[in-house]
Amino acid sequence: MRPSHVLVFLAAGVASAFAVTGTAQAHDQWNHAYAEGISVYLGVQPAAIVARTHPRDHPEGEMHDGTPVGRYDQHVFIAVFDAETGERIEDATAEAGVAPLGLARVTRPLEPMVIAETITYGNFFPLRNDGVYEITVMVTRSDAARPTVIEFAYDHRTR
């Protein structure tokens, strides 16, 4: 499969995973949560997958200051929706803090990026060990004075 086909397949999979219709309900998946009228879907994938589908000389290869090449680097990304209407929120600012349980948090902005002609937000984070990571997402809508904070527990396995 050519790299461009892999990208289309990956983008279609991500877009379908983030599809939301109607009002968001209580989450029953590890990667979905909502608070204060915002519904957030979380994705985590190895940075190596991004590197394979986006070579350095491709525009997406430079997203988030370039794809890291470390074996522990992961691409953490979110899709954000209005919980009442189900419409995607594409004009927010976002950041995430990622930490193994009880250890220091790495906080970075989640930069807007286009996947399947829609906006998602993401960045790269090191996840060096197996185990549960706390991923705290802060989303500030364009008309909000303060961010909405949503927490996820992500069980990371390297094997």
Side-chain angles (χ1 to χ4, degrees), residues 39-88:
S39 179
V40 176
Y41 287 84
L42 172 73
V44 180
Q45 74 181 78
I49 291 174
V50 177
R52 278 194 296 253
T53 58
H54 299 302
R56 277 260 194 230
D57 61 347
H58 192 272
E60 282 85 2
E62 292 301 317
M63 68 180 176
H64 319 316
D65 295 325
T67 306
V69 294
R71 78 179 246 197
Y72 301 112
D73 293 312
Q74 301 289 313
H75 189 222
V76 175
F77 52 98
I78 60 172
V80 183
F81 299 87
D82 182 289
E84 185 175 325
T85 67
E87 291 185 27
R88 190 178 288 261

Side-chain angles (χ1 to χ4, degrees), residues 127-143:
L127 278 67
R128 289 187 172 76
N129 300 307
D130 287 350
V132 177
Y133 283 76
E134 294 175 337
I135 300 178
T136 303
V137 175
M138 287 101 11
V139 177
T140 306
R141 295 182 82 160
S142 61
D143 59 351

Side-chain angles (χ1 to χ4, degrees), residues 20-27 32-34 38-39 41 82-86:
V20 170
T21 58
T23 302
Q25 302 298 314
H27 66 280
H32 176 238
Y34 67 96
I38 294 176
S39 179
Y41 287 84
D82 182 289
E84 185 175 325
T85 67

